[in-house]
Amino acid sequence: MSNKYRQIWARIRCYKNRSSILAVPSLRRIPLRGPVVSSTIGFTLFTWLGFEKNTLSAEDELVYTIKHCVLFIQRDEHDKAEQLLHVALRQAQQIQHQLGITYIYDVMANLALEREQLDKAKQLFVTVAQRILADGATEDDPRMVHISSKLARISHLKKEYTTAQIGYDWCIAKLQQLIETTTDDVSTKKLLAMTQDWYGRLFIDCNQGEQGLSLMLSALELMKEVPDVEKEHIVIQLNDIGTVCDKLGKSDDSITYLQEAIALGKELKMDELGTMYVNLGRAYLKKNMIAEATKSCGYGWKLGTMSKNNIIKQEAESCIKEIKNHS
């Protein structure tokens, strides 16, 4: 790879951390939503951004296009992101920027996975893997392990549990080997945390809660070790672990994890606090702590009402009804 391409690739990568832990569907939570910003996609993109097209090189245009693809994804404007990704792909192909092409396919694959377009995501990830292998990578390359983890996740979501389990086992073994042999293991730990979390959820889906909980706890510890993991991910993990503990009859542990999630969620002013309070109320109810359950579910209802979130309100009302029936 030429130094010129390395520099360009570094500029592109700064807009999306390939090893970031992806938010995954929780056992009982409301997904976060970013701000919606109205914008126009198309040939006027760079004028809209305030750039004069004739002052930019083709490589600059590619970088700016990819940057805004990622911004649209972060804002949950997925249709706009997908349209712009196709623009970026054409740009990369026109200048034969092979690394850019591979990266764009990877962003497309992750977007398809996020939208649970599973067949499309699988096809795109396979394309990315083929391109990386053609560039000289081996199957032990961290990029290949990352893709393999995503493919295992796709099998998991398609309820192909045996295939998913084989994939997760292979990825975790490879990642543990990498951690033992590399000095810069931050990215590897993040990927291991993501894979363990997904694997844990597979066990829960298969009614093997204890094994699932063990993996989710291991993922949580890794998340806490990695400095640049967003605290929101840790809050969600704490909430989900608390919910698993509740389902397994571990009410004391459930209360502990949910209280920790709420304390950190308050600091971050997360929209999901109402759901966490409802989960905590149900855990209190299992312990026959009626006053605490009523207070917690009532506060969850208040937060749902204030934020005009009907889903949280309905969950809280259901919890309050459970408390009254219990009494």
Side-chain angles (χ1 to χ4, degrees):
M1 187 190 305
S2 69
N3 287 334
K4 178 182 178 183
Y5 268 11
R6 287 182 187 278
Q7 291 168 1
I8 297 168
W9 185 238
R11 290 171 63 198
I12 293 173
R13 288 189 67 189
C14 74
Y15 297 117
K16 174 176 174 287
N17 187 336
R18 294 175 58 88
S19 296
S20 63
I21 297 175
L22 304 180
V24 295
S26 246
L27 298 176
R28 190 188 292 132
R29 71 181 185 87
I30 313 302
L32 290 172
R33 295 294 175 195
V36 177
V37 179
S38 178
S39 55
T40 303
I41 299 177
F43 297 108
T44 61
L45 174 65
F46 295 103
T47 303
W48 171 65
L49 291 173
F51 298 106
E52 292 298 327
K53 187 171 182 178
N54 58 13
T55 65
L56 298 173
S57 70
E59 289 155 351
D60 287 329
E61 290 191 3
L62 176 60
V63 171
Y64 282 118
T65 306
I66 293 175
K67 172 184 177 181
H68 284 83
C69 290
V70 175
L71 287 174
F72 281 136
I73 292 171
Q74 291 171 342
R75 294 167 180 162
D76 289 331
E77 297 182 73
H78 294 156
D79 290 336
K80 292 181 180 180
E82 187 156 5
Q83 291 177 50
L84 198 54
L85 280 167
H86 286 285
V87 173
L89 183 60
R90 286 196 297 272
Q91 289 176 326
Q93 289 169 336
Q94 286 169 359
I95 63 175
Q96 298 184 15
H97 194 310
Q98 298 305 318
L99 288 173
I101 293 169
T102 302
Y103 181 82
I104 292 162
Y105 277 130
D106 184 56
V107 177
M108 286 178 167
N110 281 290
L111 178 58
L113 177 55
E114 186 173 342
R115 302 178 82 177
E116 296 198 9
Q117 298 170 343
L118 301 181
D119 291 334
K120 180 178 179 180
K122 181 177 180 179
Q123 183 179 5
L124 286 165
F125 278 124
V126 169
T127 298
V128 175
Q130 289 170 340
R131 292 181 64 84
I132 292 173
L133 289 170
D135 198 38
T138 66
E139 67 172 18
D140 292 341
D141 187 293
R143 295 170 296 172
M144 290 299 300
V145 180
H146 196 151
I147 293 169
S148 296
S149 180
K150 300 286 180 64
L151 289 170
R153 176 64 176 167
I154 290 168
S155 295
H156 175 184
L157 293 174
K158 294 178 74 172
K159 302 187 186 304
E160 298 169 355
Y161 294 136
T162 301
T163 302
Q165 183 170 5
I166 292 170
Y168 286 141
D169 281 332
W170 184 86
C171 291
I172 288 172
K174 293 297 180 184
L175 290 167
Q176 289 172 337
Q177 289 174 10
L178 284 169
I179 288 173
E180 292 172 1
T181 58
T182 183
T183 54
D184 182 16
D185 62 354
V186 171
S187 295
T188 307
K189 282 186 175 181
K190 289 167 73 174
L191 180 53
L192 179 58
M194 180 183 76
T195 305
Q196 286 184 334
D197 179 48
W198 285 346
Y199 198 6
R201 293 168 192 271
L202 181 147
F203 279 115
I204 290 164
D205 289 344
C206 295
N207 296 316
Q208 299 180 53
E210 292 290 350
Q211 288 175 276
L213 177 61
S214 176
L215 282 161
M216 291 178 72
L217 286 169
S218 180
L220 175 64
E221 293 308 309
L222 284 170
M223 288 181 197
K224 289 181 175 180
E225 289 178 17
V226 178
D228 59 341
V229 171
E230 293 181 358
K231 289 184 178 180
E232 287 85 355
H233 290 307
I234 294 175
V235 174
I236 290 167
Q237 191 74 357
L238 286 164
N239 171 72
D240 290 357
I241 288 170
T243 305
V244 172
C245 288
D246 182 55
K247 291 185 179 231
L248 292 174
K250 301 175 183 286
S251 298
D252 289 334
D253 290 339
S254 176
I255 290 168
T256 298
Y257 287 115
L258 288 168
Q259 286 176 336
E260 187 178 350
I262 289 170
L264 185 53
K266 280 182 177 179
E267 293 178 17
L268 302 173
K269 299 180 179 178
M270 290 178 66
D271 295 337
E272 298 173 316
L273 272 173
T275 299
M276 296 176 205
Y277 272 106
V278 174
N279 290 342
L280 179 59
R282 288 195 168 104
Y284 280 136
L285 183 58
K286 293 277 183 70
K287 292 281 292 180
N288 206 32
M289 300 169 67
I290 304 302
E292 291 84 350
T294 302
K295 181 179 178 181
S296 188
C297 288
Y299 194 59
W301 182 87
K302 179 181 178 181
L303 290 175
T305 302
M306 290 172 61
S307 62
K308 298 181 180 179
N309 190 314
N310 288 328
I311 296 177
I312 293 178
K313 275 186 64 180
Q314 290 169 6
E315 281 287 320
E317 287 167 1
S318 175
C319 177
I320 292 168
K321 185 177 180 180
E322 289 175 34
I323 294 169
K324 288 180 179 178
N325 289 339
H326 185 82
S327 302

